[in-house]
Amino acid sequence: MPRVFSAETGMRFHSFLIAIACVLFLGGSSVVAQPKGFNYDESKVPKFELPDSLIFDDGSPVKSVADWKKRRAEVLQLFRDHVYGNAPKLRGGLKVKLLSEEEALDGLAIRKQVRIQLTDKPYGPRFDLLIYRPAAAKKAVPAILGYNFYGNHTIHPDPGIVIHQSWSRNDKSKGVVNNRATEAGRGSRQSRWAVEMILKRGYALATIYYGDVEPDHKDGWEDSTRSYYLAPGRSKPAPTDWGAIGAWATGLSRALDYLGTDRSINEKQVVVFGHSRLGKTSLWTGASDERFAITISNNSGCGGAALSRRRFGETVKRINTVFPHWFNDRFNRYNENENDCPVDQHMLVALMAPRPVYIASAEEDRWADPNGEFLSGKHADPVYALFDKVGVGVDKQPGLDQPVGDTIGYHVRTGGHEVKDYDWEQYLNFADRHFGRTPKEPGSTKMKPVKK
Ligand code: GCU
């Protein structure tokens, strides 16, 4: 049953079993780098045919940008109905409480923290948005917005960051004890967040602890917007209702609503970023909310940038079994049956067109199928070509640490399932190029769009 919200939403104590399950869930980071019993051999990838982004459901071809606008609506709805679920419209206006706004990081940044409600009630689900912006900025700056896994306070040792009260996955190395975040976690994830680099390049960084929006376990929906927005008479989400990724995407859209009210941020230049499950989330967010200027997927893998039909590394069946709450229930139909799904992930990338999108893989992150992530980008190229834009623009996955692409950026980095400074450098170069912050890189305008 949906839980009744109290002022301290998210404070419920969950069973030991759930905590253990969630420790295992964190697999992708380091615990389960390459689980056994799955295919990691390119020669064993089954033969498959991808659904065509440029053919309407009734079989007629998409020939123009105007046609694509209609087809785009069809594809988006297919992803809602078969993969991520349908999200309701949030009720009520933006409800925000300013927690603090002051100079931080030795004068490099202004740190602002706001608490944002996700319902029309003063209690109920809410999240804290941490925003660092360059203190030296004279005008509105572009911003990068993304979730973090363990709390805003883990991205930097900055003592002024508010520590969340909501449920956290137990992990002593991140300072989480009895499912509560503590001071010991401050800065424990700073290696993944190039805060100073981002600020020095003139961007703001905005982040949210994803568990504020929905705790990441199978019963987490009871503590999130998903229970609050249940259709009347229902005791759990319907098979085509939103899953956790859908709920997280809605949180990012609400954060963007807020950024649009903050005059120090250029709301037309907000980049949505995410790693791994949160990279799946950033892709779905960029697809479902066209206000995001650029989408970045870091090592997002199955259900993110990787083509499901390849069955390389993580499969649809495995993800639906271990993480039954991420997608809608209908996605289970495609367990060991990917070819019947009316979409594959290249169509998710295509939903960004003509906006820029960056897909990053890591060499050792075979669980996430680096080549499958590249191929999603490549097979989105024909949709970009309709707009006379070059997407990835190359046919083969490039070598290690060799970024490629024009409107669809791609690289495969040396190393494992992580976010490294190298990744951030590429994202900032890409955003600079598309926001006109530096001259276009040589070569990028010479590429020819890939027509079908
Ligand atoms: C697991 C899961 C992946 C996910 C990853 C993560 O490994 O199988 O799909 O991307 O966790 O979010 O770290």
Side-chain angles (χ1 to χ4, degrees):
M1 285 299 289
R3 88 179 267 247
V4 175
F5 289 106
S6 69
E8 290 309 317
T9 191
M11 295 282 284
R12 202 166 64 148
F13 184 77
H14 290 270
S15 72
F16 180 69
L17 274 181
I18 288 176
I20 293 290
C22 289
V23 169
L24 294 173
F25 274 9
L26 201 64
S29 341
S30 48
V31 189
V32 197
Q34 207 166 293
K36 292 208 168 48
F38 294 87
N39 179 41
Y40 301 99
D41 180 346
E42 192 66 41
S43 71
K44 297 206 173 104
V45 168
K47 288 230 174 330
F48 59 83
E49 205 177 312
L50 287 175
D52 195 328
S53 304
L54 295 180
I55 300 209
F56 282 102
D57 287 348
D58 70 4
S60 56
V62 171
K63 292 189 182 142
S64 62
V65 168
D67 286 351
W68 168 250
K69 288 200 172 132
K70 293 187 203 129
R71 172 65 176 151
R72 185 184 188 281
E74 269 184 9
V75 174
L76 185 62
Q77 195 54 43
L78 290 171
F79 273 106
R80 288 188 184 124
D81 290 344
H82 296 268
V83 186
Y84 303 102
N86 287 273
K89 212 173 153 30
L90 294 187
R91 288 187 289 263
L94 187 63
K95 285 200 185 50
V96 183
K97 183 177 165 198
L98 178 66
L99 302 179
S100 69
E101 184 167 17
E102 59 206 356
E103 208 178 83
L105 312 186
D106 296 327
L108 176 65
I110 306 295
R111 180 200 338 99
K112 186 176 189 181
Q113 298 178 91
V114 291
R115 183 159 292 165
I116 299 179
Q117 296 296 138
L118 282 160
T119 71
D120 52 357
K121 300 276 187 284
Y123 46 89
R126 65 184 192 203
F127 60 85
D128 289 352
L129 178 67
L130 162 68
I131 309 166
Y132 283 122
R133 63 173 193 266
K138 300 267 180 305
K139 54 178 189 158
V141 292
I144 294 171
L145 169 67
Y147 280 121
N148 60 72
F149 280 83
Y150 284 96
N152 295 348
H153 64 295
T154 63
I155 76 154
H156 198 283
D158 176 357
I161 303 176
V162 173
I163 299 185
H164 63 268
Q165 296 293 301
S166 44
W167 182 93
S168 293
R169 174 184 304 108
N170 279 336
D171 185 333
K172 274 215 186 103
S173 71
K174 314 287 182 320
V176 184
V177 185
N178 292 334
N179 301 114
R180 291 283 169 274
T182 68
E183 280 291 334
R186 259 189 217 287
S188 56
R189 267 292 164 94
Q190 61 178 317
S191 68
R192 284 192 175 181
W193 295 88
V195 177
E196 277 81 4
M197 182 202 296
I198 293 168
L199 289 163
K200 286 181 187 156
R201 296 275 299 251
Y203 288 73
L205 174 64
T207 188
I208 304 164
Y209 167 53
Y210 81 135
D212 267 1
V213 176
E214 174 160 332
D216 188 4
H217 56 76
K218 76 175 176 38
D219 298 324
W221 70 273
E222 296 180 4
D223 287 329
S224 91
T225 38
R226 288 206 286 149
S227 98
Y228 190 87
Y229 288 91
L230 271 188
R234 289 208 63 91
S235 57
K236 62 179 188 101
T240 55
D241 279 353
W242 48 345
I245 291 177
W248 293 323
T250 303
L252 290 169
S253 288
R254 185 82 333 173
L256 180 56
D257 293 342
Y258 172 72
L259 293 175
T261 69
D262 182 330
R263 288 199 298 177
S264 53
I265 305 293
N266 181 346
E267 66 171 316
K268 301 259 179 291
Q269 294 189 339
V270 178
V271 178
V272 61
F273 157 84
H275 168 64
S276 209
R277 66 197 71 186
L278 299 177
K280 309 180 206 300
T281 303
S282 65
L283 286 169
W284 179 233
T285 307
S288 49
D289 188 339
E290 291 183 88
R291 294 174 303 163
F292 285 100
I294 298 182
T295 301
I296 299 174
S297 145
N298 193 84
N299 307 177
S300 61
C302 182
L307 290 176
S308 304
R309 280 164 172 75
R310 281 171 49 82
R311 295 190 181 182
F312 188 107
E314 188 170 24
T315 60
V316 170
K317 181 179 178 193
R318 153 77 198 225
I319 206 167
N320 278 332
T321 308
V322 181
F323 307 99
H325 54 295
W326 285 357
F327 304 90
N328 69 11
D329 279 353
R330 194 183 264 178
F331 194 41
N332 281 297
R333 282 189 188 171
Y334 309 109
N335 294 347
E336 294 186 323
N337 184 29
E338 296 84 350
N339 289 323
D340 273 6
C341 187
V343 290
D344 208 324
Q345 303 305 107
H346 62 304
M347 297 163 89
L348 182 65
V349 178
L351 286 175
M352 314 300 167
R355 294 166 299 150
V357 48
Y358 201 108
I359 302 168
S361 308
E363 179 193 13
E364 291 159 17
D365 187 19
R366 294 160 62 73
W367 184 234
D369 185 11
N371 194 28
E373 294 183 310
F374 166 76
L375 290 170
S376 269
K378 174 179 134 78
H379 289 292
D381 272 11
V383 175
Y384 280 80
L386 274 183
F387 291 89
D388 264 326
K389 290 198 180 270
V390 173
V392 197
V394 295
D395 281 338
K396 284 221 161 64
Q397 193 189 18
L400 293 178
D401 307 322
Q402 290 172 35
V404 292
D406 194 344
T407 319
I408 303 176
Y410 178 83
H411 71 249
V412 50
R413 169 180 49 69
T414 312
H417 189 70
E418 263 296 343
V419 192
K420 297 282 194 194
D421 281 2
Y422 176 85
D423 300 308
W424 283 113
E425 279 159 20
Q426 310 321 312
Y427 302 150
L428 291 165
N429 291 345
F430 185 75
D432 272 357
R433 175 150 60 82
H434 288 287
F435 291 155
R437 293 168 67 86
T438 52
K440 278 207 170 233
E441 277 164 24
S444 67
T445 48
K446 284 187 214 131
M447 291 169 139
K448 285 219 183 72
V450 178
K451 307 263 190 221
K452 276 214 321 155

